[in-house]
Amino acid sequence: MRFRHPDGSTVHLAYCTNVHPAETLDGVRAQLRDHCEPVRRRLGRDRLGIGLWLAKDAAHALVTDPAALRGLRTELDRRGLEVVTLNGFPYEGFGAEEVKYRVYKPDWADPERLDHTTALARVLAGLLPDDVTDGTISTLPLAWRTAYDDERARSARTALRTLAERLDALEELTGRSIRVGLEPEPGCVVETTHDAIAPLTAIGHDRIGVCVDTCHLATSFEDPHTALDALTAAGVPVVKSQLSAALHAEHPRLPEVREALAAFAEPRFLHQTRTATAAGLRATDDLDEALAGHALPDISPWRSPFPAPLHPAPAAPLTSTLPVLKSALTRLVGGPAPLTRHLEVETYTWQALPPELRPKGRSQLAEGIAAELTLARDLLTDLGLKELP
């Protein structure tokens, strides 16, 4: 979906396909047929943007076979789909029964991460629509915080500088400009947008910036306007933004609130949980850890990055951080010029919801994703953007 900003630029809205498990190129093609095109049809649109997630094997198949890459581009066109952004955070196994800490491997100190992201950039340059020259990729925020020492930090900085050089060369070769954004996430080396400023200014290249995930922003209790103003002042580009919402528990000390939260403690994904205290953030690595005993103070609200569907809202007594998303979006694209032109709805937890809330079959999942995109579209048009055909 494309929108015209009042300044004349085009803002792209997509939904991320990491909600649909696929590890191979055949699996990606099946996603387009079984999920992405049905969402487009449900929205009544001739064209729909998707934020494609390509696992290691799928990316390798495309980057080593020009015919396969051309074939995927043709299939996207045939199904009324377009790709301007990739989710390069998960490397493989995102549809496994247990993902948890595995999603942070390999990190930016490991050569495999540089090789994979380089491959994604080359693939994206070949998938961009004919009238689009700029593409973006989101990636993990350096590494999970444990076992990350000075030596690994140096290796990560070197890898990102090498990536920037490769992206420069890719633009010279193809005329396509690809940028990569570190996605701050609770528990990682770069947990907040503030944490991103020092390493990114040290790298000092405008091809490497930040992907602002509004779920993670809210979980860390960051004020969107303060965070985005600080990035702007530091000259750190917002490469893309992922639009998602965290769970919010206003009164976690109440038994009924804990019972409601416990329904979202599931075995597949990590749901780092935070609460803001006078002494700063208190944290656990997962929701079940927060619910066990007294791991977190319970006199102030808890937030957990279980990306709740943007529509509908969670049932009481829980709410979502949709107001944080709205505030961030106002700053991202509501000003005289957009801070980013690539927006991606990223709710990958539809099939990890409590059983009674999960979509029953492909049709209900398509309906839910279409409802999320409709909400995002309405937020953009309320900010003065005009939806394009």
Side-chain angles (χ1 to χ4, degrees):
M1 301 170 77
R2 298 186 183 193
F3 298 80
R4 181 74 67 207
H5 189 275
D7 76 343
S9 62
T10 300
V11 173
H12 295 263
L13 173 66
Y15 91 88
C16 186
T17 64
N18 63 356
V19 64
H20 312 304
E23 298 288 319
T24 66
L25 183 53
D26 285 343
V28 171
R29 293 193 181 106
Q31 286 179 343
L32 305 184
R33 179 193 67 228
D34 296 339
H35 299 290
C36 301
E37 187 175 6
V39 170
R40 178 185 65 77
R41 293 184 181 280
R42 192 169 288 269
L43 288 165
R45 306 291 303 166
D46 293 332
R47 174 174 53 189
L48 176 67
I50 56 172
L52 202 57
W53 173 59
L54 296 172
K56 173 195 66 172
D57 289 345
H60 179 76
L62 289 167
V63 81
T64 56
D65 185 349
L69 182 57
R70 289 192 300 271
L72 181 60
R73 168 64 191 282
T74 298
E75 185 160 1
L76 287 166
D77 291 341
R78 182 169 61 86
R79 297 191 182 278
L81 306 169
E82 66 177 14
V83 175
V84 302
T85 190
L86 300 180
N87 186 331
F89 197 134
Y91 181 70
E92 61 183 345
F94 200 64
E97 291 186 3
E98 182 177 338
V99 178
K100 298 290 184 180
Y101 295 95
R102 291 172 51 192
V103 76
Y104 306 105
K105 292 292 186 180
D107 63 34
W108 273 102
D110 298 320
E112 293 88 348
R113 177 60 63 171
L114 173 60
D115 292 343
H116 177 59
T117 310
T118 302
L120 291 177
R122 291 172 59 190
V123 168
L124 181 55
L127 293 180
L128 288 176
D130 291 340
D131 61 345
V132 175
T133 58
D134 297 327
T136 58
I137 302 170
S138 49
T139 189
L140 83 163
L142 299 182
W144 186 252
R145 68 183 186 281
T146 57
Y148 190 76
D149 54 21
D150 290 344
E151 181 179 354
R152 292 187 69 79
R154 284 192 294 271
S155 296
R157 286 195 297 270
T158 299
L160 285 166
R161 290 191 182 103
T162 300
L163 176 66
E165 293 169 358
R166 292 179 180 180
L167 297 178
D168 284 341
L170 184 64
E171 183 174 16
E172 289 184 13
L173 180 66
T174 66
R176 305 296 179 91
S177 174
I178 309 297
R179 295 187 298 162
V180 173
L182 305 184
E183 179 188 333
E185 176 165 329
C188 292
V189 173
V190 175
E191 172 157 337
T192 65
T193 56
H194 176 77
D195 294 337
I197 291 174
L200 288 177
T201 52
I203 293 167
H205 201 298
D206 63 5
R207 291 200 189 274
I208 313 296
V210 166
C211 168
V212 174
D213 184 304
T214 59
C215 173
H216 299 158
L217 190 79
T219 300
S220 295
F221 289 86
E222 289 193 85
D223 174 73
H225 292 271
T226 301
L228 293 167
D229 286 348
L231 291 175
T232 300
V236 175
V238 180
V239 168
K240 65 184 277 190
S241 180
Q242 290 173 325
L243 308 181
S244 53
L247 285 178
H248 179 95
E250 184 68 20
H251 302 293
R253 67 184 180 279
L254 298 178
E256 60 268 28
V257 175
R258 286 179 171 260
E259 182 180 358
L261 283 171
F264 289 87
E266 51 82 35
R268 180 178 296 181
F269 301 112
L270 206 61
H271 303 297
Q272 309 92 313
T273 305
R274 302 290 185 266
T275 186
T277 71
L281 285 183
R282 292 284 299 276
T284 62
D285 281 355
D286 214 343
L287 180 55
D288 55 2
E289 181 185 347
L291 291 168
H294 303 284
L296 282 185
D298 60 5
I299 59 174
S300 55
W302 289 3
R303 290 177 178 174
S304 183
F306 189 115
L310 303 183
H311 176 84
L318 302 178
T319 60
S320 82
T321 60
L322 185 60
V324 177
L325 184 159
K326 293 178 179 178
S327 179
L329 201 57
T330 299
R331 182 69 180 88
L332 285 166
V333 299
L339 295 184
T340 184
R341 296 192 300 276
H342 290 180
L343 305 173
E344 179 183 66
V345 172
E346 195 214 13
T347 303
Y348 57 83
T349 50
W350 278 99
Q351 302 297 354
L353 290 168
E356 66 275 11
L357 300 178
R358 291 176 196 166
K360 296 174 178 62
R362 294 174 184 170
S363 178
Q364 284 193 10
L365 178 58
E367 181 179 354
I369 293 170
E372 290 196 288
L373 286 167
T374 298
L375 186 150
R377 179 198 64 195
D378 292 346
L379 293 177
L380 292 174
T381 55
D382 286 348
L383 289 171
L385 283 73
K386 179 181 179 181
E387 187 176 7
L388 299 174

